[in-house]
Amino acid sequence: MSGQHVVHAHEEPQSFLRRYIFSTDHKVIGIQYYLTAMVMALVGGTLAMLIRLQLGWPEAKWPLLAKLFPRGMSGGVMNPDFYLALITMHGTLMIFFVVSLGLVSGFGNYLLPLHIGARDMAFPFLNMLSYWTVVPACVIMLASFFVEGGAAASGWTAYPPLSAVEQAVPGSGLGQTLWILGMALFIASFTMGGLNFVTTILNERTRGMSMMRLPLFIWTLLIASILGLLAFPPLTAAAILLLFDRHGGTSFFLPSGLYFGERVLPHSGGSPLLWQHLFWFLGHPEVYVLILPALGIALDLLPPFTRKPIFGYRLTVYSLIAIGVLSMIVWGHHMFVSGMNPYVGEFFAIGTLAITIPSAIIGFNLIASLWGARLQLRTPALFALGSIAFFGTGGFGGIFLGNATSDIQLHDTYFVVGHFHFMIGGVTLLALFGGTYYWFPKMFGRMMNERLGKIHFWVTFVAFYAVFLTQHFLGIGGMPRRYYAFSKFEFLAPIRDLNEFISLAAFVLGAAQLVFLFNFFWSLFRGARAEQNPWRATTLEWVAPTPPPHGNWGETTPEVHRWPYDYSVPGAPEDFTPQTVPPTVVEVTR
Amino acid sequence: MAEGSERLKRTLEGFFFAFILMTIALAGIGLGVRRWLPPLASEHGAGIDRMIRYLLLTVGTLFVIGHVALGYFIWRFSRQERVTYRLASPRVEKLWSLIPGIVMALVAEGGVLVIGLPIWQQYYLRPAPPDAVLVEVTAEQFAWNIRYPGRDGRLGRTDPHLIRYDNPLGIDARDPASQDDVVQLGVMPVPLGRPVLVRLRSKDTLHSFFLPHFRVKQDAVPGMTIDIWFTPTQTGEFEIACAELCGFGHFQMRGVLRVLPSEDFERWLAEQPTFSSVR
């Protein structure tokens, strides 16, 4: 751990451009990431609404939409290519450009130095570079909608040959190339960010901030960043190989004898399964890169509203590490029926279900943290509690899918869609929202509206269950995902009408997010002025002035004397004891 | 007075949260007890159904307990005026965490080891019995090509360079084994009660051979030949769906599996024109 901090040499820049646009200040960069994620969420969410419109009423005509999307919805009816582009881009944007950017890069950047008592990230310039690398990635992704053939349409997993052969699907033209380039830039950016996070957490902690005094959000960021650093490079390599297959005539993922457009392609010797391995070697850890920080936020939002420490800090840390390690060796559970050797499937099933053990311990600790609490149901607390329920529901669904035997029936059905939306859609978004309501006063010096916040929570929470819990059961009924319509199959006749209900619930869910948007921007200008520590919380960011100045801490960085959860310490003057309070004033109880 | 109404509001909010979670648990039960699986028509499928039902029961119970417990905690502790339990000792924390650990080890890991993997092994790791009926299924955008080996029991050689309109599989006419092959498009008759060995291939992109009523799902991968087998237990017509995104026609890539009594199947097969007879 570093000793006495010297004030960084760089001074606060004065020009608008260096202060707010090309800033190296972690707080500005964090907010830039957050707002970028918000823009991408608007796009991704709109795509989701169009998807639900199609699935709810597959035969209907929407003349108004024909004007907006003259090619994708010619004559007012969505065409199947456009539908595939929608699902591909919805998944890609939400996973990589909303949750990764907002939750990990956004909150991570804003909070990490504040949480550990640092003045900035270890590499401020790299931090700025990582943000300005992801901006072109966003632009490229969005631009791909407007090129010949439309955006990529091979699913967010981009399985070849669909993603490698231009004739395979219309979106496999320039749209797919742009998708690969956008992903490559995103990965480059995320790798820079991860490197910065790990270095900062290991080297920039202030005096007294030992690893076991870190808030759990920081622990989850550390594990998530390490996972990202280990798992993303294989996808980068795979993306480059895919680019070669597309434009260089190589055959990494393409076997001989592919027959497209009435001719045999000249490729030979490659394997489509290789891509699946490389993709999921990233793809599965990526799930944890998103879910762990979300759990970290849920864990950290509880104590200020239960007014007591969380249950099982140490075991939670060990469980998080165990999940991180296990997550690297279970990617094959996405490939049980892919043609992979079935013996290997057994290994992946056993490994995957081992993850339920540390996950259940974390879930248990989250609920147990409520025991004996003086629970205050403010908006951030609602979202934290909601994400516990989502984590449970999503985790339970995972037990069906990690089990190779039941996965035979459930693979690539709506069960999977329901499951992963609870996990990387639900837990993460509730944490993202909960974190926003909680840290908004620190970021912008104003409180968000409580009443609107609660409306936002309740509608989101209930509508989310209506949409995605129902989808689990459609999946048991065998309803395949990535279908443009369910009208062609008789076996779906008894269950397909539920899609109308799901679509209506999805529109309610979408509308609830507009309440959030309104609240966010209204509060930015009209919200009540926030005190320095409005939630009466213990962690370091609340010791800093609001909003924190450049360099965060004035003359000297704070010194830490205790763990981050000292609420309701017996004999203390207040029911919260900030981490900076020395043991001479309030006894250290842990 | 203000404090009293504040307290009432907190109690009501906690109660509301508990009520919603309880409703979700009930909705989960209501959905879970309904029959969702398509009617079963294969032998090994009974095992897969047993696995799914076991999980619905055990994991469903955990789902209900979890939501009820969370609701109860929220309701109970949102009424409290002071913290009544602060910090557990490391020993207590370890002991309590044994509960979720053991439950998951039993339900999830135990479930797959005791029920799941034996079925998996029976489905995937045992070779098809020698009397199995061989059927080659070749997927393409967006259709299922079905081929039977004919009297000699051997499928003729294929080469994609030979693919023509009248020879969609590119069967090599020079190969003696191919002369009596029988080729069908989209309809796949199989005999009742006899193992069916499906040799799965793809001409272009990934597909997945999904028989919802048979609990069969296997990706078709270009460049690979994948064998799976199952035994039909019901006669009738069943649907073949594609379960791996394969392009814009993915949603309508429908085939029909027709299960016939064994004699009817043999008669039907004998009546079909062979590859050499249609050329």
Side-chain angles (χ1 to χ4, degrees):
Chain A
M1 197 185 322
S2 56
Q4 181 82 34
H5 267 262
V6 234
V7 178
H8 280 259
H10 54 262
E11 286 182 357
E12 185 171 11
Q14 295 304 319
S15 77
F16 179 81
L17 208 61
R18 291 307 305 263
R19 228 180 134 137
Y20 296 110
I21 310 294
F22 297 103
S23 169
T24 55
D25 187 314
H26 70 98
K27 300 182 292 297
V28 177
I29 296 174
I31 292 172
Q32 285 176 326
Y33 267 119
Y34 186 94
L35 295 177
T36 309
M38 199 182 254
V39 172
M40 299 306 265
L42 274 174
V43 179
T46 309
L47 302 187
M49 297 299 108
L50 289 170
I51 292 170
R52 282 319 316 179
L53 193 68
Q54 166 62 24
L55 293 180
W57 300 273
E59 256 103 67
K61 269 192 164 188
W62 313 95
L64 190 66
L65 289 174
K67 291 201 184 82
L68 281 170
F69 308 97
R71 201 172 45 196
M73 302 203 44
S74 49
V77 180
M78 187 178 293
N79 71 52
D81 305 337
F82 187 58
Y83 177 79
L84 294 183
L86 289 180
I87 58 163
T88 302
M89 296 309 285
H90 168 73
T92 305
L93 294 184
M94 287 300 196
I95 293 169
F96 297 107
F97 292 87
V98 176
V99 180
S100 300
L101 286 198
L103 192 72
V104 183
S105 306
F107 279 134
N109 267 306
Y110 192 91
L111 293 169
L112 172 49
L114 284 169
H115 260 134
I116 65 172
R119 294 195 179 277
D120 206 324
M121 300 291 277
F123 310 115
F125 180 79
L126 191 68
N127 204 13
M128 177 180 83
L129 190 64
S130 81
Y131 176 72
W132 285 104
T133 308
V134 95
V135 171
C138 294
V139 172
I140 288 174
M141 281 292 177
L142 295 180
S144 73
F145 277 103
F146 304 98
V147 300
E148 177 75 35
S154 55
W156 80 279
T157 50
Y159 280 5
L162 216 51
S163 59
V165 179
E166 288 214 17
Q167 302 93 307
V169 66
S172 197
L174 186 53
Q176 189 71 49
T177 303
L178 291 178
W179 185 92
I180 296 171
L181 291 176
M183 283 305 297
L185 282 174
F186 167 82
I187 295 170
S189 154
F190 208 68
T191 309
M192 290 185 242
L195 211 61
N196 222 341
F197 283 2
V198 173
T199 317
T200 308
I201 295 170
L202 295 183
N203 291 331
E204 301 286 316
R205 280 168 288 131
T206 187
R207 285 149 295 142
M209 183 61 94
S210 64
M211 291 304 276
M212 280 300 173
R213 284 179 181 167
L214 284 177
L216 282 164
F217 178 54
I218 302 303
W219 264 109
T220 58
L221 273 185
L222 177 65
I223 298 166
S225 303
I226 294 172
L227 286 181
L229 288 176
L230 292 174
F232 266 110
L235 184 66
T236 323
I240 293 167
L241 300 186
L242 185 58
L243 214 54
F244 284 160
D245 273 10
R246 290 173 57 79
H247 302 290
T250 59
S251 303
F252 292 104
F253 306 120
L254 298 173
S256 62
L258 286 181
Y259 188 81
F260 280 100
E262 287 165 39
R263 65 186 187 94
V264 180
L265 302 187
H267 298 277
S268 80
S271 162
L273 286 193
L274 174 62
W275 169 271
Q276 298 185 22
H277 280 291
L278 291 172
F279 181 87
W280 288 116
F281 188 81
L282 154 89
H284 200 75
E286 164 71 3
V287 171
Y288 291 93
V289 169
L290 305 180
I291 202 100
L292 294 183
L295 288 175
I297 287 182
L299 285 156
D300 277 356
L301 289 195
L302 285 181
F305 301 99
T306 57
R307 312 309 295 171
K308 67 179 279 291
I310 58 156
F311 182 88
Y313 176 89
R314 235 166 239 281
L315 274 162
T316 303
V317 170
Y318 299 151
S319 299
L320 289 168
I321 295 173
I323 292 178
V325 172
L326 286 170
S327 78
M328 296 295 296
I329 54 160
V330 297
W331 75 91
H333 66 219
H334 297 269
M335 299 171 61
F336 285 138
V337 299
S338 67
M340 177 180 75
N341 185 324
Y343 284 102
V344 187
E346 298 196 8
F347 165 78
F348 282 123
I350 293 168
T352 301
L353 293 171
I355 292 190
T356 59
I357 296 171
S359 306
I361 292 176
I362 293 175
F364 180 87
N365 287 351
L366 278 161
I367 297 187
S369 296
L370 301 178
W371 188 263
R374 187 160 76 81
L375 186 59
Q376 298 164 349
L377 293 173
R378 307 287 298 273
T379 307
L382 293 179
F383 278 92
L385 294 166
S387 68
I388 300 176
F390 279 13
F391 181 58
T393 308
F396 292 143
I399 299 175
F400 287 72
L401 296 171
N403 185 319
T405 306
S406 41
D407 185 65
I408 295 170
Q409 183 71 2
L410 303 176
H411 178 78
D412 258 336
T413 66
Y414 267 82
F415 195 96
V416 181
V417 177
H419 162 70
F420 70 65
H421 275 95
F422 265 102
M423 282 310 218
I424 53 174
V427 179
T428 54
L429 284 183
L430 289 198
L432 202 53
F433 291 134
T436 305
Y437 288 103
Y438 183 73
W439 283 298
F440 193 89
K442 178 53 61 182
M443 295 165 102
F444 303 109
R446 291 177 188 269
M447 306 296 288
M448 285 181 78
N449 184 289
E450 186 80 1
R451 185 176 298 256
L452 289 177
K454 285 185 174 170
I455 293 171
H456 174 217
F457 172 75
W458 283 115
V459 180
T460 302
F461 188 68
V462 175
F464 203 96
Y465 269 100
V467 174
F468 297 108
L469 189 63
T470 318
Q471 287 187 347
H472 282 79
F473 295 95
L474 295 181
I476 297 177
M479 185 173 281
R481 67 192 280 209
R482 293 168 170 168
Y483 267 32
Y484 159 79
F486 302 106
S487 45
K488 304 286 175 191
F489 286 89
E490 282 162 37
F491 81 96
L492 295 173
I495 54 177
R496 64 178 157 228
D497 290 344
L498 271 169
N499 274 305
E500 255 179 67
F501 163 77
I502 292 176
S503 287
L504 290 173
F507 295 151
V508 173
L509 183 59
Q513 311 320 309
L514 299 179
V515 177
F516 170 76
L517 270 186
F518 172 79
N519 193 355
F520 187 94
F521 288 103
W522 186 85
S523 305
L524 207 52
F525 301 105
R526 296 288 170 82
R529 290 266 174 213
E531 304 159 36
Q532 185 179 333
N533 188 358
W535 313 109
R536 301 159 61 77
T538 56
T539 39
L540 285 184
E541 75 271 28
W542 303 107
V543 176
T546 296
H550 191 73
N552 296 344
W553 308 105
E555 291 283 293
T556 48
T557 54
E559 183 170 356
V560 167
H561 298 282
R562 56 186 73 238
W563 77 326
Y565 305 112
D566 256 347
Y567 289 89
S568 302
V569 180
E574 304 256 25
D575 73 344
F576 67 106
T577 311
Q579 284 186 278
T580 48
V581 174
T584 44
V585 180
V586 173
E587 145 194 45
V588 171
T589 55
R590 178 190 166 281
Chain B
M1 188 62 205
E3 211 159 89
S5 78
E6 178 65 24
R7 182 159 184 219
L8 180 70
K9 190 168 157 255
R10 275 175 56 189
T11 310
L12 282 177
E13 273 187 304
F15 179 79
F16 181 67
F17 209 139
F19 171 77
I20 294 284
L21 286 169
M22 208 74 80
T23 311
I24 289 165
L26 285 174
I29 295 175
L31 287 166
V33 297
R34 267 191 63 177
R35 187 192 160 75
W36 295 92
L37 282 164
L40 180 67
S42 75
E43 221 172 79
H44 79 279
I48 292 179
D49 285 9
R50 183 152 21 104
M51 186 73 252
I52 293 177
R53 276 199 302 271
Y54 162 88
L55 289 172
L56 277 173
L57 188 70
T58 53
V59 177
T61 308
L62 293 176
F63 171 85
V64 172
I65 293 175
H67 281 77
V68 170
L70 182 62
Y72 171 70
F73 277 34
I74 291 172
W75 171 70
R76 175 167 167 187
F77 295 110
S78 60
R79 290 178 308 162
Q80 273 204 166
E81 286 303 311
R82 58 184 189 85
V83 170
T84 50
Y85 183 86
R86 190 172 169 268
L87 203 55
S89 71
R91 211 179 96 82
V92 169
E93 287 178 349
K94 275 197 201 103
L95 282 176
W96 276 100
S97 72
L98 283 177
I99 296 179
I102 290 172
V103 167
M104 279 305 156
L106 286 177
V107 168
E109 202 70 83
V112 77
L113 286 175
V114 176
I115 307 177
L117 291 184
I119 300 164
W120 174 265
Q121 284 161 1
Q122 177 198 333
Y123 177 63
Y124 267 119
L125 302 183
R126 245 182 19 185
D131 65 328
V133 180
L134 177 63
V135 188
E136 183 196 61
V137 175
T138 306
E140 70 175 295
Q141 286 180 334
F142 302 96
W144 302 98
N145 296 282
I146 315 291
R147 178 160 69 130
Y148 299 85
R151 212 171 293 278
D152 65 351
R154 292 189 303 136
L155 292 160
R157 203 180 76 83
T158 60
D159 180 346
H161 293 278
L162 299 174
I163 294 177
R164 301 284 182 276
Y165 281 115
D166 59 348
N167 187 5
L169 292 173
I171 298 172
D172 186 351
R174 289 167 306 177
D175 184 357
S178 62
Q179 305 309 320
D180 60 348
D181 286 4
V182 171
V183 179
Q184 300 281 312
L185 182 65
V187 182
M188 174 177 167
V190 293
L192 173 73
R194 275 172 68 189
V196 178
L197 173 62
V198 176
R199 185 149 291 166
L200 199 54
R201 308 196 306 157
S202 167
K203 279 164 72 171
D204 39 36
T205 182
L206 294 173
H207 300 275
S208 193
F209 181 70
F210 177 29
L211 300 174
H213 301 87
F214 291 72
R215 321 297 188 242
V216 167
K217 191 180 286 148
Q218 176 60 56
D219 285 7
V221 184
M224 286 176 79
T225 302
I226 300 168
D227 282 359
I228 48 161
W229 67 277
F230 60 91
T231 309
T233 57
Q234 309 279 332
T235 54
E237 293 211 338
F238 303 92
E239 284 172 315
I240 307 170
C242 182
E244 183 66 75
L245 180 58
C246 60
F248 66 85
H250 176 48
F251 72 103
Q252 52 186 1
M253 187 167 160
R254 179 177 181 271
V256 170
L257 182 86
R258 188 174 290 151
V259 182
L260 303 169
S262 199
E263 317 80 70
D264 294 9
F265 169 75
E266 294 297 348
R267 191 175 325 120
W268 170 84
L269 191 58
E271 284 166 2
Q272 297 312 302
T274 59
F275 176 69
S276 58
S277 73
V278 291
R279 283 178 74 83

